Amino acid sequence: MKTLFELELISTHGTRYPVRKRLHDSSLGAYTTLEKAEKAMQRVVKSWDMESDTFCYIITERKLNPKPNEEDVVGVRTYLPDGSWYEENMADRDGVFRGRPDERIRFKIGDIAEVLYGDVVELAIIGNTPPSLEFAEQMRKRRLGNGVTDEFFMDKFDDSYTIYDTHPGGHTHVESQFVFPTRKPVSEKLVQKLKEQMEKGD
């Protein structure tokens, strides 16, 4: 499988919680290897004079010449503003997600995090964590026991956290690589509001 690696810089506008708009997404090029994409990112980190506005970098691995209607994303990695690796989606190269190791589940239920989705970076509370390796294995055995031949049924979208934000209307699922630690103190008022949203549930 031939792939390329697309590098993006994600910037935000303002610093106030709970919501910040994505200022712009800067495409920084496509590269033939992950190493070349990461080196290009490091050059940008050293030269970029707006680090305070940088939320993260994203390197997306895509198939070259995919078939019509074929999923072209092979993998997604995120990096912090200083260029250090943060996280990646743990679906394999065939698009199958087999669970996330416990040590790679960065948040627990009730934690406050910053999530990148849509056109915003938003404060949120963790309502549920990605399926663990143990859970995925239990589900695999159950499916085999029930005569299901496609023993692994999860994909990249299952490597996600259930989150609640400050808006009413239930929960959202955000892929693991787009859920980040908070970068400044969160007021008790906001924490309480998020807890209330989670208690309301769906």
Side-chain angles (χ1 to χ4, degrees):
M1 180 196 308
K2 293 185 178 180
T3 62
L4 58 78
F5 296 82
E6 295 180 346
L7 173 62
E8 294 178 274
L9 183 157
I10 308 300
S11 299
T12 54
H13 177 66
T15 59
R16 293 186 64 185
Y17 285 149
V19 182
R20 285 172 287 157
K21 290 285 186 181
R22 283 166 73 155
L23 182 62
H24 62 267
D25 300 359
S26 300
S27 176
L28 302 178
Y31 302 86
T32 54
T33 67
L34 175 61
E35 182 182 16
K36 289 180 179 179
E38 289 179 330
K39 284 183 177 179
M41 176 182 63
Q42 293 301 334
R43 289 195 295 270
V44 174
V45 169
K46 291 176 182 177
S47 63
W48 189 245
D49 61 359
M50 296 177 64
E51 185 174 329
S52 61
D53 293 328
T54 300
F55 182 74
C56 70
Y57 294 88
I58 301 174
I59 296 180
T60 303
E61 184 180 4
R62 295 185 183 275
K63 296 177 184 176
L64 284 172
N65 306 314
K67 298 175 183 177
N69 301 319
E70 179 184 18
E71 171 61 68
D72 69 331
V73 175
V74 177
V76 181
R77 298 169 174 84
T78 50
Y79 300 76
L80 298 176
D82 65 0
S84 59
W85 177 85
Y86 174 66
E87 192 52 87
E88 62 188 282
N89 192 290
M90 296 192 75
D92 64 21
R93 295 180 69 81
D94 294 320
V96 178
F97 176 59
R98 292 177 168 83
R100 180 169 277 266
D102 289 341
E103 65 273 15
R104 291 281 299 278
I105 299 176
R106 295 174 177 266
F107 302 93
K108 62 182 184 297
I109 295 173
D111 282 350
I112 307 298
E114 293 186 42
V115 298
L116 172 67
Y117 66 94
D119 62 351
V120 299
V121 172
E122 187 151 11
L123 204 64
I125 189 168
I126 304 298
N128 210 346
T129 59
S132 65
L133 289 173
E134 181 181 7
F135 174 84
E137 179 62 16
Q138 289 174 351
M139 292 301 295
R140 185 185 74 85
K141 289 179 179 178
R142 184 178 301 173
R143 289 171 69 82
L144 288 174
N146 290 333
V148 179
T149 55
D150 56 334
E151 53 185 297
F152 287 105
F153 64 99
M154 294 186 290
D155 61 22
K156 66 178 182 179
F157 298 109
D158 291 295
D159 186 7
S160 64
Y161 289 87
T162 302
I163 63 98
Y164 294 83
D165 57 32
T166 57
H167 303 99
H171 63 270
T172 304
H173 297 279
V174 179
E175 290 177 52
S176 294
Q177 70 273 16
F178 298 131
V179 181
F180 295 82
T182 55
R183 300 185 184 182
K184 62 177 185 174
V186 181
S187 71
E188 285 299 321
K189 183 177 180 180
L190 273 175
V191 171
Q192 186 58 37
K193 186 172 184 178
L194 290 167
K195 287 181 178 179
E196 289 172 359
Q197 291 295 97
M198 184 169 69
E199 288 169 2
K200 290 177 184 177
D202 296 331

